[in-house]
């Protein structure tokens, strides 16, 4: 008996079967076994499906009788951005830089104020923000 009769067809593979089910039957039946093998390899070895963190699960809420699922993925984005995503990404990046600059300036001014107060330098006689007194108290 030839070995080909002992080996099941790759059309029985879940991923391959699902992919073949999404195309017209005429074309799905035209695939040879080597082509199905490479189709299976292409479906299994998707680098874009590998994430640094891939947490999937489900939970049941008994008082509602509903099941929910969750997916948390974290990793490098390798897909191409749409024009809108590029614009939003740029805006978010600029907002982050602006926030970093504002917080750095505020922290720097606070440190300068504390240093001025520690050295006893009084720029405006009789005025105080009270930060030095609060800092000494803690």
């Amino acid at each position: 008996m030839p070995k080909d009769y002992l080996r099941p067809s790759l059309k029985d593979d879940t991923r391959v079967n699902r992919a073949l089910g999404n195309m017209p039957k005429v074309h799905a039946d035209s695939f040879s076994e080597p082509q199905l093998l490479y189709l299976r390899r292409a479906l299994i070895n998707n680098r874009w499906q590998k994430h640094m963190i891939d947490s999937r699960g489900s939970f049941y809420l008994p008082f509602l009788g509903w099941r929910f699922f969750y997916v948390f993925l974290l990793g490098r984005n390798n897909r191409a951005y749409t024009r809108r995503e590029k614009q939003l990404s740029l805006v978010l990046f600029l907002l982050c830089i602006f926030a970093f600059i504002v917080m750095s300036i505020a922290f720097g001014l606070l440190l300068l104020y504390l240093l001025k107060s520690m050295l006893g330098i009084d720029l405006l006689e009789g005025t105080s923000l009270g930060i030095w007194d609060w800092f000494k108290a803690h």
Side-chain angles (χ1 to χ4, degrees), residues 38-98:
Y38 285 111
L39 178 64
R40 182 174 180 269
R41 284 184 185 171
L43 293 171
I44 290 175
N45 294 328
N46 285 331
R47 293 186 64 201
W48 54 269
Q49 288 182 341
K50 295 180 181 164
H51 304 284
M52 187 171 34
I53 297 175
D54 187 345
S55 176
R56 301 163 194 251
S58 63
F59 56 93
Y60 177 71
L61 296 178
F63 51 90
L64 292 176
W66 295 345
R67 290 185 55 87
F68 293 93
F69 71 93
Y70 66 90
V71 177
F72 181 74
L73 303 173
L74 180 70
R76 187 170 179 213
N77 186 5
N78 293 325
R79 64 185 178 85
Y81 287 119
T82 64
R83 177 179 287 177
R84 182 171 174 84
E85 287 174 328
K86 285 180 186 177
Q87 291 171 347
L88 289 174
S89 178
L90 179 62
V91 168
L92 184 62
F93 177 71
L94 292 175
L95 282 174
C96 287
I97 288 177
F98 179 74

Short mmCIF file of all heavy atoms in Angstrom, two decimals, residues 38-98:
data_model
loop_
_atom_site.label_atom_id
_atom_site.label_comp_id
_atom_site.label_asym_id
_atom_site.label_seq_id
_atom_site.Cartn_x
_atom_site.Cartn_y
_atom_site.Cartn_z
N TYR A 38 2.46 24.30 2.23
CA TYR A 38 2.98 25.67 2.33
C TYR A 38 1.92 26.64 2.83
O TYR A 38 2.23 27.58 3.55
CB TYR A 38 3.56 26.13 0.99
CG TYR A 38 4.89 25.48 0.72
CD1 TYR A 38 5.03 24.53 -0.31
CD2 TYR A 38 6.01 25.78 1.48
CE1 TYR A 38 6.24 23.92 -0.55
CE2 TYR A 38 7.23 25.17 1.24
CZ TYR A 38 7.34 24.24 0.22
OH TYR A 38 8.54 23.64 -0.01
N LEU A 39 0.68 26.40 2.49
CA LEU A 39 -0.41 27.22 3.02
C LEU A 39 -0.49 27.05 4.54
O LEU A 39 -0.62 28.02 5.28
CB LEU A 39 -1.74 26.84 2.36
CG LEU A 39 -2.97 27.59 2.84
CD1 LEU A 39 -2.87 29.07 2.53
CD2 LEU A 39 -4.22 27.00 2.22
N ARG A 40 -0.39 25.82 5.00
CA ARG A 40 -0.41 25.54 6.44
C ARG A 40 0.76 26.21 7.14
O ARG A 40 0.60 26.81 8.20
CB ARG A 40 -0.37 24.03 6.67
CG ARG A 40 -0.45 23.64 8.13
CD ARG A 40 -0.56 22.12 8.27
NE ARG A 40 -0.63 21.74 9.64
CZ ARG A 40 0.44 21.44 10.40
NH1 ARG A 40 1.65 21.48 9.89
NH2 ARG A 40 0.29 21.10 11.66
N ARG A 41 1.95 26.12 6.55
CA ARG A 41 3.13 26.76 7.15
C ARG A 41 2.94 28.28 7.23
O ARG A 41 3.32 28.92 8.20
CB ARG A 41 4.39 26.45 6.34
CG ARG A 41 4.91 25.08 6.56
CD ARG A 41 6.20 24.87 5.81
NE ARG A 41 6.65 23.49 5.93
CZ ARG A 41 7.65 23.00 5.23
NH1 ARG A 41 8.31 23.75 4.37
NH2 ARG A 41 8.01 21.75 5.40
N ALA A 42 2.37 28.85 6.18
CA ALA A 42 2.14 30.30 6.17
C ALA A 42 1.13 30.70 7.23
O ALA A 42 1.26 31.76 7.85
CB ALA A 42 1.64 30.73 4.79
N LEU A 43 0.13 29.86 7.47
CA LEU A 43 -0.88 30.18 8.48
C LEU A 43 -0.36 30.00 9.89
O LEU A 43 -0.78 30.69 10.81
CB LEU A 43 -2.13 29.32 8.26
CG LEU A 43 -2.91 29.59 6.99
CD1 LEU A 43 -3.98 28.54 6.79
CD2 LEU A 43 -3.52 30.97 7.03
N ILE A 44 0.55 29.06 10.09
CA ILE A 44 1.07 28.78 11.43
C ILE A 44 2.18 29.74 11.81
O ILE A 44 2.23 30.24 12.93
CB ILE A 44 1.55 27.32 11.54
CG1 ILE A 44 0.36 26.38 11.49
CG2 ILE A 44 2.36 27.09 12.80
CD1 ILE A 44 0.74 24.92 11.46
N ASN A 45 3.08 30.02 10.90
CA ASN A 45 4.27 30.80 11.21
C ASN A 45 4.08 32.29 10.98
O ASN A 45 4.92 32.94 10.40
CB ASN A 45 5.46 30.30 10.38
CG ASN A 45 5.85 28.89 10.77
OD1 ASN A 45 5.71 28.51 11.91
ND2 ASN A 45 6.34 28.13 9.82
N ASN A 46 2.99 32.85 11.44
CA ASN A 46 2.79 34.29 11.32
C ASN A 46 3.57 34.99 12.42
O ASN A 46 3.25 34.85 13.60
CB ASN A 46 1.30 34.64 11.43
CG ASN A 46 0.55 34.28 10.19
OD1 ASN A 46 1.11 34.27 9.11
ND2 ASN A 46 -0.72 33.97 10.33
N ARG A 47 4.58 35.75 12.02
CA ARG A 47 5.39 36.48 13.01
C ARG A 47 4.55 37.55 13.68
O ARG A 47 4.81 37.93 14.81
CB ARG A 47 6.60 37.10 12.33
CG ARG A 47 7.57 36.05 11.83
CD ARG A 47 8.81 36.68 11.30
NE ARG A 47 9.47 37.35 12.38
CZ ARG A 47 10.35 38.33 12.22
NH1 ARG A 47 10.67 38.72 11.02
NH2 ARG A 47 10.90 38.91 13.26
N TRP A 48 3.54 38.09 12.98
CA TRP A 48 2.73 39.15 13.56
C TRP A 48 1.83 38.64 14.66
O TRP A 48 1.25 39.42 15.40
CB TRP A 48 1.92 39.85 12.47
CG TRP A 48 1.08 38.95 11.64
CD1 TRP A 48 1.42 38.34 10.48
CD2 TRP A 48 -0.27 38.53 11.92
NE1 TRP A 48 0.38 37.57 10.02
CE2 TRP A 48 -0.67 37.67 10.86
CE3 TRP A 48 -1.17 38.80 12.93
CZ2 TRP A 48 -1.92 37.10 10.81
CZ3 TRP A 48 -2.42 38.22 12.87
CH2 TRP A 48 -2.78 37.39 11.82
N GLN A 49 1.71 37.34 14.81
CA GLN A 49 0.88 36.79 15.88
C GLN A 49 1.67 36.56 17.16
O GLN A 49 1.11 36.17 18.15
CB GLN A 49 0.25 35.48 15.43
CG GLN A 49 -0.83 35.66 14.40
CD GLN A 49 -1.48 34.35 14.01
OE1 GLN A 49 -0.91 33.28 14.23
NE2 GLN A 49 -2.65 34.42 13.43
N LYS A 50 2.98 36.80 17.14
CA LYS A 50 3.79 36.59 18.32
C LYS A 50 3.94 37.91 19.06
O LYS A 50 4.43 38.88 18.52
CB LYS A 50 5.15 36.02 17.93
CG LYS A 50 5.00 34.65 17.31
CD LYS A 50 6.31 34.07 16.91
CE LYS A 50 6.05 32.70 16.29
NZ LYS A 50 7.15 32.20 15.53
N HIS A 51 3.50 37.94 20.31
CA HIS A 51 3.54 39.15 21.12
C HIS A 51 4.35 38.89 22.38
O HIS A 51 4.44 37.75 22.86
CB HIS A 51 2.13 39.59 21.50
CG HIS A 51 1.24 39.80 20.33
ND1 HIS A 51 1.32 40.90 19.53
CD2 HIS A 51 0.26 39.03 19.81
CE1 HIS A 51 0.42 40.81 18.57
NE2 HIS A 51 -0.24 39.69 18.72
N MET A 52 4.92 39.98 22.91
CA MET A 52 5.69 39.87 24.14
C MET A 52 4.76 39.40 25.27
O MET A 52 5.13 38.53 26.06
CB MET A 52 6.30 41.23 24.47
CG MET A 52 7.24 41.22 25.63
SD MET A 52 8.16 42.75 25.87
CE MET A 52 7.04 44.02 25.39
N ILE A 53 3.58 39.97 25.33
CA ILE A 53 2.57 39.55 26.31
C ILE A 53 1.31 39.21 25.53
O ILE A 53 0.81 40.01 24.76
CB ILE A 53 2.27 40.66 27.33
CG1 ILE A 53 3.52 40.97 28.16
CG2 ILE A 53 1.12 40.25 28.24
CD1 ILE A 53 3.34 42.14 29.10
N ASP A 54 0.83 38.01 25.72
CA ASP A 54 -0.38 37.54 25.03
C ASP A 54 -1.24 36.83 26.06
O ASP A 54 -1.04 35.66 26.37
CB ASP A 54 0.00 36.59 23.89
CG ASP A 54 -1.20 36.21 23.04
OD1 ASP A 54 -2.34 36.42 23.48
OD2 ASP A 54 -0.98 35.69 21.94
N SER A 55 -2.18 37.56 26.64
CA SER A 55 -3.04 37.00 27.67
C SER A 55 -4.47 36.98 27.15
O SER A 55 -5.03 38.02 26.81
CB SER A 55 -2.95 37.86 28.94
OG SER A 55 -3.84 37.39 29.91
N ARG A 56 -5.05 35.79 27.11
CA ARG A 56 -6.43 35.64 26.63
C ARG A 56 -7.16 34.76 27.62
O ARG A 56 -6.60 33.84 28.19
CB ARG A 56 -6.46 34.97 25.26
CG ARG A 56 -5.70 35.74 24.20
CD ARG A 56 -5.41 34.88 22.99
NE ARG A 56 -4.43 35.48 22.13
CZ ARG A 56 -4.70 35.99 20.94
NH1 ARG A 56 -5.92 35.96 20.47
NH2 ARG A 56 -3.74 36.53 20.22
N GLY A 57 -8.41 35.06 27.81
CA GLY A 57 -9.19 34.24 28.73
C GLY A 57 -10.65 34.61 28.67
O GLY A 57 -11.07 35.45 27.87
N SER A 58 -11.41 33.99 29.52
CA SER A 58 -12.84 34.29 29.58
C SER A 58 -13.30 34.16 31.03
O SER A 58 -12.64 33.53 31.86
CB SER A 58 -13.64 33.35 28.68
OG SER A 58 -13.50 32.03 29.14
N PHE A 59 -14.41 34.78 31.31
CA PHE A 59 -14.99 34.68 32.64
C PHE A 59 -16.50 34.70 32.51
O PHE A 59 -17.05 35.16 31.52
CB PHE A 59 -14.47 35.78 33.58
CG PHE A 59 -14.70 37.17 33.07
CD1 PHE A 59 -15.84 37.88 33.44
CD2 PHE A 59 -13.77 37.78 32.25
CE1 PHE A 59 -16.04 39.16 32.97
CE2 PHE A 59 -13.97 39.07 31.78
CZ PHE A 59 -15.11 39.76 32.14
N TYR A 60 -17.14 34.20 33.54
CA TYR A 60 -18.59 34.01 33.55
C TYR A 60 -19.18 34.84 34.68
O TYR A 60 -18.67 34.83 35.80
CB TYR A 60 -18.89 32.53 33.74
CG TYR A 60 -20.36 32.21 33.85
CD1 TYR A 60 -21.20 32.31 32.74
CD2 TYR A 60 -20.90 31.78 35.05
CE1 TYR A 60 -22.54 32.01 32.84
CE2 TYR A 60 -22.24 31.48 35.16
CZ TYR A 60 -23.06 31.59 34.06
OH TYR A 60 -24.39 31.29 34.15
N LEU A 61 -20.23 35.58 34.38
CA LEU A 61 -20.95 36.32 35.41
C LEU A 61 -22.24 35.56 35.70
O LEU A 61 -23.20 35.61 34.94
CB LEU A 61 -21.27 37.74 34.95
CG LEU A 61 -20.06 38.64 34.70
CD1 LEU A 61 -20.51 40.00 34.19
CD2 LEU A 61 -19.24 38.78 35.96
N PRO A 62 -22.26 34.80 36.82
CA PRO A 62 -23.40 33.92 37.07
C PRO A 62 -24.73 34.64 37.27
O PRO A 62 -25.77 34.15 36.86
CB PRO A 62 -23.00 33.16 38.34
CG PRO A 62 -21.91 33.95 38.94
CD PRO A 62 -21.26 34.74 37.85
N PHE A 63 -24.71 35.83 37.87
CA PHE A 63 -25.97 36.53 38.11
C PHE A 63 -26.57 37.10 36.83
O PHE A 63 -27.75 37.38 36.78
CB PHE A 63 -25.79 37.62 39.17
CG PHE A 63 -24.66 38.56 38.90
CD1 PHE A 63 -24.83 39.72 38.17
CD2 PHE A 63 -23.39 38.28 39.39
CE1 PHE A 63 -23.80 40.57 37.92
CE2 PHE A 63 -22.34 39.13 39.15
CZ PHE A 63 -22.55 40.28 38.41
N LEU A 64 -25.76 37.28 35.78
CA LEU A 64 -26.28 37.73 34.49
C LEU A 64 -26.44 36.58 33.50
O LEU A 64 -27.20 36.68 32.54
CB LEU A 64 -25.35 38.78 33.86
CG LEU A 64 -25.27 40.13 34.55
CD1 LEU A 64 -24.25 41.02 33.87
CD2 LEU A 64 -26.63 40.81 34.55
N GLY A 65 -25.68 35.51 33.71
CA GLY A 65 -25.72 34.38 32.81
C GLY A 65 -24.94 34.64 31.52
O GLY A 65 -25.20 34.01 30.50
N TRP A 66 -24.01 35.58 31.57
CA TRP A 66 -23.24 35.94 30.38
C TRP A 66 -21.80 35.50 30.55
O TRP A 66 -21.24 35.52 31.65
CB TRP A 66 -23.25 37.44 30.14
CG TRP A 66 -24.58 38.01 29.81
CD1 TRP A 66 -25.70 37.36 29.43
CD2 TRP A 66 -24.92 39.40 29.85
NE1 TRP A 66 -26.72 38.23 29.21
CE2 TRP A 66 -26.28 39.50 29.46
CE3 TRP A 66 -24.25 40.55 30.17
CZ2 TRP A 66 -26.93 40.71 29.38
CZ3 TRP A 66 -24.90 41.76 30.08
CH2 TRP A 66 -26.23 41.83 29.69
N ARG A 67 -21.19 35.14 29.42
CA ARG A 67 -19.76 34.84 29.39
C ARG A 67 -19.06 35.97 28.63
O ARG A 67 -19.55 36.42 27.61
CB ARG A 67 -19.47 33.51 28.70
CG ARG A 67 -19.92 32.31 29.50
CD ARG A 67 -19.52 31.00 28.85
NE ARG A 67 -18.10 30.90 28.58
CZ ARG A 67 -17.19 30.46 29.46
NH1 ARG A 67 -17.57 30.11 30.65
NH2 ARG A 67 -15.93 30.38 29.13
N PHE A 68 -17.93 36.40 29.14
CA PHE A 68 -17.15 37.45 28.50
C PHE A 68 -15.75 36.91 28.23
O PHE A 68 -15.28 36.01 28.93
CB PHE A 68 -17.02 38.68 29.42
CG PHE A 68 -18.31 39.39 29.63
CD1 PHE A 68 -19.12 39.09 30.71
CD2 PHE A 68 -18.72 40.38 28.75
CE1 PHE A 68 -20.31 39.75 30.92
CE2 PHE A 68 -19.91 41.05 28.95
CZ PHE A 68 -20.70 40.73 30.02
N PHE A 69 -15.11 37.47 27.23
CA PHE A 69 -13.72 37.11 26.98
C PHE A 69 -12.89 38.38 26.98
O PHE A 69 -13.40 39.48 26.77
CB PHE A 69 -13.56 36.36 25.65
CG PHE A 69 -13.74 37.20 24.43
CD1 PHE A 69 -12.65 37.80 23.81
CD2 PHE A 69 -14.99 37.40 23.89
CE1 PHE A 69 -12.81 38.59 22.69
CE2 PHE A 69 -15.17 38.18 22.76
CZ PHE A 69 -14.06 38.78 22.16
N TYR A 70 -11.62 38.22 27.25
CA TYR A 70 -10.70 39.36 27.22
C TYR A 70 -9.44 38.95 26.47
O TYR A 70 -9.07 37.78 26.42
CB TYR A 70 -10.35 39.84 28.63
CG TYR A 70 -9.56 38.85 29.43
CD1 TYR A 70 -8.17 38.85 29.40
CD2 TYR A 70 -10.20 37.90 30.22
CE1 TYR A 70 -7.44 37.93 30.13
CE2 TYR A 70 -9.48 36.98 30.95
CZ TYR A 70 -8.10 37.01 30.91
OH TYR A 70 -7.38 36.09 31.62
N VAL A 71 -8.82 39.94 25.87
CA VAL A 71 -7.56 39.75 25.15
C VAL A 71 -6.68 40.93 25.51
O VAL A 71 -7.08 42.08 25.36
CB VAL A 71 -7.76 39.69 23.63
CG1 VAL A 71 -6.43 39.57 22.91
CG2 VAL A 71 -8.67 38.54 23.24
N PHE A 72 -5.48 40.65 26.02
CA PHE A 72 -4.51 41.70 26.29
C PHE A 72 -3.23 41.34 25.55
O PHE A 72 -2.61 40.32 25.82
CB PHE A 72 -4.24 41.83 27.79
CG PHE A 72 -3.25 42.91 28.11
CD1 PHE A 72 -3.62 44.24 28.03
CD2 PHE A 72 -1.95 42.60 28.46
CE1 PHE A 72 -2.71 45.24 28.31
CE2 PHE A 72 -1.04 43.59 28.74
CZ PHE A 72 -1.41 44.92 28.66
N LEU A 73 -2.87 42.17 24.58
CA LEU A 73 -1.68 41.95 23.77
C LEU A 73 -0.75 43.14 23.94
O LEU A 73 -1.19 44.28 23.96
CB LEU A 73 -2.04 41.81 22.29
CG LEU A 73 -3.04 40.71 21.92
CD1 LEU A 73 -3.41 40.82 20.45
CD2 LEU A 73 -2.45 39.36 22.21
N LEU A 74 0.52 42.83 24.07
CA LEU A 74 1.51 43.88 24.15
C LEU A 74 2.73 43.44 23.36
O LEU A 74 3.24 42.34 23.56
CB LEU A 74 1.91 44.16 25.61
CG LEU A 74 2.93 45.25 25.82
CD1 LEU A 74 2.31 46.60 25.50
CD2 LEU A 74 3.42 45.23 27.25
N GLY A 75 3.15 44.27 22.45
CA GLY A 75 4.31 43.95 21.63
C GLY A 75 4.53 45.02 20.59
O GLY A 75 3.80 46.01 20.50
N ARG A 76 5.53 44.82 19.80
CA ARG A 76 5.89 45.79 18.76
C ARG A 76 4.86 45.73 17.63
O ARG A 76 4.45 44.66 17.20
CB ARG A 76 7.27 45.46 18.22
CG ARG A 76 7.77 46.47 17.27
CD ARG A 76 9.23 46.24 16.96
NE ARG A 76 9.65 47.26 16.01
CZ ARG A 76 10.54 47.07 15.09
NH1 ARG A 76 11.15 45.91 14.99
NH2 ARG A 76 10.86 48.03 14.27
N ASN A 77 4.47 46.91 17.16
CA ASN A 77 3.49 46.99 16.09
C ASN A 77 4.23 46.95 14.75
O ASN A 77 5.01 47.84 14.43
CB ASN A 77 2.69 48.29 16.21
CG ASN A 77 1.56 48.36 15.23
OD1 ASN A 77 1.30 47.42 14.50
ND2 ASN A 77 0.88 49.50 15.20
N ASN A 78 3.98 45.93 13.95
CA ASN A 78 4.64 45.78 12.66
C ASN A 78 3.74 46.10 11.48
O ASN A 78 4.17 46.02 10.34
CB ASN A 78 5.17 44.35 12.51
CG ASN A 78 6.28 44.05 13.47
OD1 ASN A 78 7.07 44.91 13.80
ND2 ASN A 78 6.32 42.82 13.96
N ARG A 79 2.50 46.45 11.74
CA ARG A 79 1.59 46.71 10.64
C ARG A 79 1.72 48.16 10.19
O ARG A 79 2.22 49.01 10.92
CB ARG A 79 0.15 46.40 11.04
CG ARG A 79 -0.39 47.26 12.13
CD ARG A 79 -1.79 46.82 12.55
NE ARG A 79 -2.27 47.63 13.63
CZ ARG A 79 -2.87 48.79 13.46
NH1 ARG A 79 -3.08 49.26 12.26
NH2 ARG A 79 -3.28 49.49 14.50
N ALA A 80 1.25 48.45 9.01
CA ALA A 80 1.31 49.80 8.46
C ALA A 80 0.18 50.65 9.05
O ALA A 80 -0.93 50.16 9.25
CB ALA A 80 1.18 49.74 6.95
N TYR A 81 0.48 51.90 9.32
CA TYR A 81 -0.52 52.82 9.84
C TYR A 81 -1.35 53.41 8.71
O TYR A 81 -0.86 53.65 7.62
CB TYR A 81 0.15 53.99 10.58
CG TYR A 81 0.74 53.63 11.92
CD1 TYR A 81 2.09 53.79 12.16
CD2 TYR A 81 -0.06 53.17 12.94
CE1 TYR A 81 2.63 53.49 13.39
CE2 TYR A 81 0.47 52.86 14.17
CZ TYR A 81 1.82 53.03 14.40
OH TYR A 81 2.34 52.73 15.61
N THR A 82 -2.61 53.69 9.02
CA THR A 82 -3.44 54.45 8.09
C THR A 82 -3.08 55.93 8.26
O THR A 82 -2.39 56.31 9.20
CB THR A 82 -4.94 54.25 8.39
OG1 THR A 82 -5.22 54.77 9.69
CG2 THR A 82 -5.34 52.78 8.32
N ARG A 83 -3.58 56.76 7.36
CA ARG A 83 -3.27 58.20 7.45
C ARG A 83 -3.78 58.78 8.76
O ARG A 83 -3.09 59.54 9.42
CB ARG A 83 -3.90 58.94 6.27
CG ARG A 83 -3.68 60.45 6.36
CD ARG A 83 -4.27 61.15 5.20
NE ARG A 83 -3.43 60.85 4.04
CZ ARG A 83 -3.68 61.27 2.84
NH1 ARG A 83 -4.75 61.98 2.59
NH2 ARG A 83 -2.88 60.97 1.84
N ARG A 84 -4.97 58.37 9.16
CA ARG A 84 -5.55 58.88 10.42
C ARG A 84 -4.72 58.42 11.62
O ARG A 84 -4.48 59.19 12.54
CB ARG A 84 -6.99 58.41 10.54
CG ARG A 84 -7.69 58.93 11.78
CD ARG A 84 -9.18 58.60 11.72
NE ARG A 84 -9.88 58.94 12.92
CZ ARG A 84 -10.36 60.14 13.20
NH1 ARG A 84 -10.19 61.11 12.36
NH2 ARG A 84 -11.00 60.36 14.32
N GLU A 85 -4.28 57.17 11.61
CA GLU A 85 -3.45 56.67 12.70
C GLU A 85 -2.12 57.39 12.77
O GLU A 85 -1.62 57.67 13.85
CB GLU A 85 -3.22 55.16 12.55
CG GLU A 85 -4.43 54.31 12.86
CD GLU A 85 -4.22 52.85 12.55
OE1 GLU A 85 -3.46 52.52 11.62
OE2 GLU A 85 -4.82 52.03 13.26
N LYS A 86 -1.55 57.72 11.62
CA LYS A 86 -0.30 58.48 11.59
C LYS A 86 -0.49 59.86 12.19
O LYS A 86 0.34 60.33 12.96
CB LYS A 86 0.22 58.62 10.15
CG LYS A 86 0.83 57.37 9.59
CD LYS A 86 1.30 57.61 8.16
CE LYS A 86 1.78 56.33 7.53
NZ LYS A 86 2.18 56.52 6.12
N GLN A 87 -1.60 60.51 11.83
CA GLN A 87 -1.86 61.84 12.36
C GLN A 87 -2.08 61.79 13.88
O GLN A 87 -1.53 62.61 14.62
CB GLN A 87 -3.08 62.45 11.67
CG GLN A 87 -2.85 62.79 10.22
CD GLN A 87 -4.12 63.17 9.49
OE1 GLN A 87 -5.24 62.96 9.99
NE2 GLN A 87 -3.98 63.74 8.30
N LEU A 88 -2.88 60.83 14.34
CA LEU A 88 -3.12 60.70 15.78
C LEU A 88 -1.84 60.35 16.53
O LEU A 88 -1.60 60.84 17.63
CB LEU A 88 -4.21 59.66 16.04
CG LEU A 88 -5.62 60.06 15.64
CD1 LEU A 88 -6.57 58.88 15.81
CD2 LEU A 88 -6.09 61.24 16.46
N SER A 89 -1.02 59.52 15.93
CA SER A 89 0.25 59.14 16.55
C SER A 89 1.16 60.36 16.68
O SER A 89 1.81 60.55 17.71
CB SER A 89 0.92 58.05 15.72
OG SER A 89 2.15 57.70 16.27
N LEU A 90 1.21 61.19 15.66
CA LEU A 90 2.02 62.40 15.70
C LEU A 90 1.52 63.36 16.77
O LEU A 90 2.30 63.93 17.53
CB LEU A 90 2.04 63.07 14.32
CG LEU A 90 2.84 64.37 14.22
CD1 LEU A 90 4.31 64.13 14.53
CD2 LEU A 90 2.67 64.99 12.86
N VAL A 91 0.21 63.55 16.83
CA VAL A 91 -0.37 64.44 17.83
C VAL A 91 -0.07 63.93 19.24
O VAL A 91 0.31 64.70 20.12
CB VAL A 91 -1.90 64.59 17.61
CG1 VAL A 91 -2.57 65.27 18.79
CG2 VAL A 91 -2.17 65.35 16.33
N LEU A 92 -0.24 62.63 19.46
CA LEU A 92 0.05 62.06 20.77
C LEU A 92 1.52 62.20 21.12
O LEU A 92 1.87 62.53 22.26
CB LEU A 92 -0.37 60.58 20.80
CG LEU A 92 -0.22 59.87 22.13
CD1 LEU A 92 -1.10 60.52 23.18
CD2 LEU A 92 -0.58 58.41 21.99
N PHE A 93 2.40 61.98 20.15
CA PHE A 93 3.83 62.13 20.38
C PHE A 93 4.17 63.57 20.76
O PHE A 93 4.92 63.81 21.72
CB PHE A 93 4.59 61.70 19.12
CG PHE A 93 6.08 61.87 19.22
CD1 PHE A 93 6.82 61.04 20.03
CD2 PHE A 93 6.72 62.86 18.49
CE1 PHE A 93 8.20 61.19 20.12
CE2 PHE A 93 8.08 63.02 18.58
CZ PHE A 93 8.83 62.18 19.40
N LEU A 94 3.60 64.54 20.04
CA LEU A 94 3.86 65.94 20.35
C LEU A 94 3.31 66.33 21.72
O LEU A 94 3.93 67.10 22.45
CB LEU A 94 3.29 66.84 19.25
CG LEU A 94 3.98 66.73 17.88
CD1 LEU A 94 3.25 67.57 16.85
CD2 LEU A 94 5.43 67.13 17.99
N LEU A 95 2.12 65.80 22.07
CA LEU A 95 1.56 66.07 23.40
C LEU A 95 2.45 65.50 24.50
O LEU A 95 2.64 66.13 25.55
CB LEU A 95 0.15 65.49 23.51
CG LEU A 95 -0.95 66.29 22.85
CD1 LEU A 95 -2.28 65.54 22.91
CD2 LEU A 95 -1.10 67.65 23.51
N CYS A 96 3.01 64.32 24.28
CA CYS A 96 3.91 63.72 25.26
C CYS A 96 5.17 64.55 25.42
O CYS A 96 5.64 64.77 26.54
CB CYS A 96 4.26 62.29 24.86
SG CYS A 96 2.93 61.11 25.09
N ILE A 97 5.73 65.03 24.32
CA ILE A 97 6.93 65.88 24.40
C ILE A 97 6.60 67.19 25.13
O ILE A 97 7.36 67.64 26.00
CB ILE A 97 7.49 66.15 22.99
CG1 ILE A 97 8.12 64.88 22.44
CG2 ILE A 97 8.50 67.28 23.01
CD1 ILE A 97 8.64 64.99 21.03
N PHE A 98 5.46 67.79 24.79
CA PHE A 98 5.05 69.03 25.44
C PHE A 98 4.86 68.82 26.95
O PHE A 98 5.33 69.62 27.76
CB PHE A 98 3.75 69.55 24.81
CG PHE A 98 3.24 70.81 25.43
CD1 PHE A 98 3.86 72.02 25.21
CD2 PHE A 98 2.12 70.77 26.26
CE1 PHE A 98 3.39 73.18 25.79
CE2 PHE A 98 1.64 71.91 26.85
CZ PHE A 98 2.27 73.13 26.61
#
